[in-house]
Amino acid sequence: MSSPKRAPATRKTARPKTAPAKAAARTAAVSSDTSAQARALAATLERAIGDGDVNVLNPAALQALMAALCKTYSAQIEAGHALLPLRGRTSVSSTDIMTTASGLLKASNLAVFELGMWQSWTGR
């Protein structure tokens, strides 16, 4: 009885790699499109709030958007981009900022003390 013959090894063909310029162009196009959509959404939300529609987003949509924005901002900071989440003094009031910051800390079960400690450790 002979042993079964081994199937001849098949040579895997390498997938053609996308040229770096093409990949960068595709990323820039996606980023540009996403950024345009984000600006349009921001304008829609600003108009609705200006018109007194505080329920422009349902709670689940607001939470999903807030989570995505937090992750996106954090990823950009970790990637070395030096930017603040808001441009200087905008139409966002200090009360708006403190309410949001307080809500974010509460949602993550963090205290202001912990934020202060983290800032002193990281320099952020």
Side-chain angles (χ1 to χ4, degrees):
M1 186 153 52
S2 64
S3 62
K5 290 189 179 182
R6 187 179 247 179
T10 58
R11 186 171 183 197
K12 292 184 179 179
T13 57
R15 297 172 85 192
K17 293 186 178 181
T18 305
K22 273 188 170 179
R26 186 172 54 246
T27 301
V30 169
S31 178
S32 176
D33 185 47
T34 303
S35 293
Q37 290 173 357
R39 285 190 297 275
L41 175 60
T44 299
L45 295 175
E46 288 282 348
R47 273 193 307 277
I49 293 298
D51 293 342
D53 183 5
V54 298
N55 296 313
V56 62
L57 293 176
N58 66 42
L62 177 65
Q63 291 166 334
L65 187 57
M66 185 68 75
L69 288 171
C70 286
K71 289 177 184 179
T72 302
Y73 178 73
S74 179
Q76 289 200 3
I77 295 301
E78 291 296 321
H81 299 281
L83 69 133
L84 294 173
L86 299 173
R87 276 192 209 163
R89 294 302 257 171
T90 64
S91 63
V92 181
S93 72
S94 297
T95 301
D96 294 337
I97 291 169
M98 289 189 282
T99 299
T100 302
S102 179
L104 288 169
L105 290 171
K106 189 173 184 176
S108 297
N109 197 27
L110 294 171
V112 175
F113 172 78
E114 293 167 303
L115 174 61
M117 290 298 294
W118 180 82
Q119 286 175 326
S120 69
W121 292 335
T122 63
R124 291 187 189 154

